[in-house]
Structure formats: structure tokens, C-alpha cells
């Protein structure tokens, strides 16, 4: 049995593979908008494992798999043996014998890696403490739809050095753009944790206004990510100046877009006037989780398809 491809972190794919995936996401989205059925994953099963809460990730994977002709099964820690100590390796063996693709949202990235090492089918990281590659996939697809290629552009990250920030740093290396990062003291990035090749694609700024200057995309995320709730009060104090406001957007490029992976807290990591304002593309960004992940599942299950028809490409 050959090992399946997995999508555990953004750097698992090359720039050329992302070009392909973004073209497939466009094609799949257009077909969906024309109400044309497209069922390349007919009779296939996606298992979704959630150890943390979700609205968008569950909805986009479950709806996406159904729209591709397959079905999706939802498991969570509370109602499955995962919450009663069954080893992740054993769970992976069993779940991957009954399904065609698996998505997991969990705490440590090592859980995702251990599952993948014991899985017969492709595994997708649906968010860990360290990384959230599906979100960056949709975000960059959204940027390309609105503004064209991201290569050579500047993204401003304002806030926590968290899973989304880490994913942007990986994406910048793969797709050759820059990230200007501003985090409060003590909440900075830990590049050694995410295997960056170097420091050529990001720059650190003490003042969030400086990070936003000239940026083509400004983005922020919750001050307290899932799993860190005990730090909430300390974080509210530390992050008070890391709220993307109209002044920061005015310092960015004139045609800059604002993104947020959602859920958002207006008045904390973003001002209501920004997230609800003319530069915000957050609803397109959320919708694009669906289209981008349909392209991702098609690729992981079927490999490359004919880009004009969606027919599987025969291998020699
Ligand atoms: N952005 C995102 O992953 O949202 P959910 O937590 O609702 O899945
Ligand atoms: N950084 C956030 C992202 C939520 C989609 C979290 O991990 O809770």
C-alpha cells in the first residue's frame, strides 16, 4: 500500500500545487454557482473529528463533501472513544479502514502527525494549536479573487503569534510574499516550532501601525484562541493596542483588504467600522472555505483531474 498524501501544514504542498488547487477551487465554485451538479467523490466518506468547537470548518467540510457526491460523518471527543483514552494510533487504524478521507481539529500538532502516520487515507488538519492550513488556503484564494496573485505582496498580521499567524508565515515562504508581524510582548511568533526555512519572508514590528504601513492585506484574529481561555483576562490587558482600526487601515495600501478567519470580537482584535467596512472581505473569505476545501478533498482523494472536465487523469 502506498502512503496517502496528507494536508497537515501549509508547507505540505508546493507553489505549483497551490496554483492547481486555486484553479480547481475557481472551477468548482463556478460550477456550484451555476447549480451544475459535480459528484467526483460519489460514494466516498469523509470522517470529521472535532476536539474543539467549530461553525465554519464543520459546515464547509460537511456541505462540501455532500456537494461532491459523498457523505460526511461527525465525531467528537465527548461522544466517541477518543474522549475515553483510546490511543490516537488505534483510532486512526480503525477510522481510516471505514472512510476515504479524514479531517481532524485538535490541540497539539503531534496528534495530527500521529494520526497520519497510522492512517490508510488522506488526513486534513482542520486546526491545531500550532496551525490552521485550510483557513490560509481559503484566505489566499480570496485574496487572488479580489486582487490577483499574492506573490510579492505584503500581509500585515496584528495580534497573537498563534496558529493563524504561524500558517501565514509558512504560506509566505511557499508562495513568496512577506508578512509584517506585530504581536504584544510575550505573545510573539515561535518560528522554530513551525519549521520555517529562515527569516527572509517576515519582519517583526513593535507597533501594529508600522506593520500595517503599505500592506496589501491586513488580518487579525481572536486575542484568546481555543484552549487558552484561562489566559483570557491577562490577554485582554496585553492586547488592548492590537485592535485593527481605521487608522491602521489608512496606513495600509489604498486598495488593502481586511481579513479575519472568524469568529470575530468587534472592539477587541478589530473595530466594527473595519470588519463591517468597505475594505473587509470576511464573508467571501468564510464562503471560500467551502470551495477551497472541495478542491483540496478532490485533490487528496483523486489526484489531478482534467481541468476542463473534472475527469480523472489516467496515469501511465
Ligand atoms: N475560521 C474557522 O475555522 O471557524 P470555525 O472555528 O467556526 O470552524
Ligand atoms: N486562532 C483561533 C482560530 C479560530 C478559527 C483559535 O485557534 O481559536
Amino acid at each position: 500500500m502506498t502512503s496517502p498524501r496528507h494536508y497537515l501544514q501549509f508547507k505540505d504542498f508546493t507553489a505549483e500545487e497551490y496554483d492547481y488547487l486555486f484553479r480547481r477551487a475557481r472551477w468548482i465554485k463556478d460550477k456550484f454557482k451555476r447549480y451544475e451538479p459535480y459528484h467526483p467523490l460519489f460514494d466516498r466518506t469523509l470522517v470529521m473529528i472535532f476536539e474543539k468547537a467549530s461553525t465554519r470548518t464543520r459546515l464547509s467540510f460537511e456541505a462540501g463533501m455532500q456537494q461532491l457526491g459523498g457523505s460526511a460523518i461527525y465525531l467528537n471527543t465527548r461522544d466517541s472513544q477518543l474522549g475515553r483514552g483510546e490511543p490516537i494510533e488505534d483510532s486512526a487504524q480503525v477510522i481510516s479502514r471505514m472512510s476515504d478521507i479524514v479531517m481532524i481539529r485538535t490541540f497539539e500538532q503531534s496528534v495530527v502527525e500521529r494520526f497520519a502516520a497510522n492512517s490508510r487515507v488522506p488526513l486534513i488538519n482542520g486546526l491545531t494549536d500550532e496551525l490552521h492550513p485550510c483557513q490560509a488556503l481559503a484566505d489566499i484564494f480570496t485574496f487572488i479573487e479580489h486582487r490577483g496573485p499574492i506573490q510579492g505582496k505584503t500581509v500585515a498580521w496584528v495580534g497573537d503569534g498563534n496558529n493563524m499567524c504561524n500558517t501565514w508565515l509558512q504560506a509566505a515562504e511557499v508562495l513568496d510574499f512577506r508578512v509584517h508581524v506585530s504581536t504584544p510582548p510575550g505573545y510573539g511568533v515561535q518560528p522554530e516550532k513551525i519549521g520555517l526555512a529562515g527569516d527572509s519572508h517576515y519582519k517583526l514590528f513593535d507597533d501594529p501601525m508600522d506593520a500595517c504601513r503599505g500592506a496589501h492585506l491586513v488580518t487579525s484574529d481572536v486575542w484568546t484562541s481555543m484552549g487558552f481561555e484561562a489566559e483570557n483576562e491577562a490577554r485582554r490587558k496585553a492586547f488592548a493596542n492590537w485592535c485593527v482600526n481605521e487608522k491602521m487601515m489608512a496606513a495600509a495600501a489604498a486598495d488593502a483588504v481586511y481579513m479575519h478567519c472568524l469568529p470575530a470580537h468587534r472592539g477587541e482584535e478589530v473595530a466594527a467600522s473595519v470588519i463591517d467596512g468597505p475594505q473587509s472581505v470576511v464573508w467571501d473569505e468564510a464562503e471560500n472555505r467551502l470551495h477551497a476545501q472541495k478542491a483540496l478533498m478532490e485533490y487528496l482523494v483523486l489526484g489531478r483531474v482534467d481541468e476542463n472536465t473534472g475527469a480523472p487523469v489516467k496515469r501511465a
Side-chain angles (χ1 to χ4, degrees), residues 50 52-60 105 126-127 132 134-135 139 164 221 226 260-263 285-286 289 293:
F50 283 93
K52 291 179 178 174
S54 169
T55 298
R56 280 144 289 269
T57 303
R58 176 174 179 185
L59 188 57
S60 53
R105 167 169 285 194
L127 180 147
H132 193 6
C134 293
Q135 185 68 54
D139 292 0
M164 277 311 307
D221 187 10
M226 291 181 281
H260 190 308
C261 65
L262 306 176
E285 181 188 1
R289 292 290 302 278
Q293 289 162 196

Side-chain angles (χ1 to χ4, degrees), residues 213-278:
R213 228 174 281 288
H216 304 98
L217 190 172
V218 177
T219 185
S220 58
D221 187 10
V222 290
W223 289 345
T224 304
S225 285
M226 291 181 281
F228 296 84
E229 289 79 4
E231 300 173 13
N232 205 16
E233 276 317 301
R235 283 172 175 264
R236 287 171 77 87
K237 291 193 187 92
F239 282 76
N241 293 330
W242 276 262
C243 172
V244 174
N245 55 29
E246 287 179 58
K247 278 189 182 158
M248 290 184 201
M249 291 307 294
D255 66 346
V257 291
Y258 174 77
M259 288 194 192
H260 190 308
C261 65
L262 306 176
H265 300 75
R266 288 167 176 77
E268 294 191 7
E269 72 273 9
V270 60
S273 58
V274 171
I275 193 167
D276 300 321

